[in-house]
Amino acid sequence: GGWRRLYGNTLIVTTDTGWERDYAAAFYPYGDYDEPDNEQLLFTVPEPIDRRHPPKERALGVPSPNGTGGLAFAYETLRSLGPIAAINEEVEGDPFVLLWEEEKAGAMAYWPTVDGETLTFEVVGDRFVDTQTGSVWHMGGIATDGPLAGSTLEPVHEAFVAFWFAW
């Protein structure tokens, strides 16, 4: 529901394809990806697997610009911050903001610069607010109220959601 409110014209993939195939069959090669602790993987991954989080826990990864690392934010950790969170962080000296909403089961990373000014974010009540202007933002990176209303944040295009073991 939260996604649809942000992106009402989104198309989704369905298992109702018109073909006679049981997409939930026991022969599914990836194991149960709905269970974060399930360690069945289709491919071998280098050992050791990082055990700080369950292997199939989702995480938002923000790679470093030079491709030698980055930061990953496990959804389990984000959920512990509450239903909504704004995390101001840096990757190799470049600031970004991560916006999290549990209802949408979503995390997004943005470059927090508007008109040459780097913004920092906090949660006030149930809203994302930049501390410089007091403008209100939504998860889609758009200011909806305040002096910056209508402004947009550029997404960190290299950021992606993956399972913890893959990150």
Side-chain angles (χ1 to χ4, degrees), residues 3 52-64 69-79 81 85-91 96-101 105-111 128 139 154-167:
W3 182 269
R52 290 177 291 170
H53 298 283
K56 292 181 183 166
E57 176 68 38
R58 287 185 296 160
L60 177 72
V62 182
S64 61
L71 300 173
F73 300 85
Y75 278 30
E76 173 185 351
T77 302
L78 295 172
R79 277 191 295 278
L81 299 175
I87 301 170
N88 299 284
E89 190 55 83
E90 289 185 3
V91 61
F96 68 91
V97 62
L98 184 150
L99 302 180
W100 159 257
E101 284 194 43
M108 289 290 295
Y110 297 98
W111 302 117
F128 300 112
M139 180 78 173
E154 180 184 352
V156 177
H157 295 290
E158 298 80 9
F160 61 95
V161 175
F163 291 107
W164 183 255
F165 80 87
W167 176 258

Side-chain angles (χ1 to χ4, degrees), residues 39 41 45-53 55 164-165:
E39 296 193 12
L41 306 173
V45 297
E47 289 293 335
I49 292 177
D50 184 334
R51 302 282 180 196
R52 290 177 291 170
H53 298 283
W164 183 255
F165 80 87

Side-chain angles (χ1 to χ4, degrees), residues 6 26 31 33 36 44 68 74-75 90 99 101 103 121 146:
L6 284 175
Y33 272 55
T44 308
T68 60
Y75 278 30
E90 289 185 3
L99 302 180
E101 284 194 43
E103 176 191 14
F121 289 81

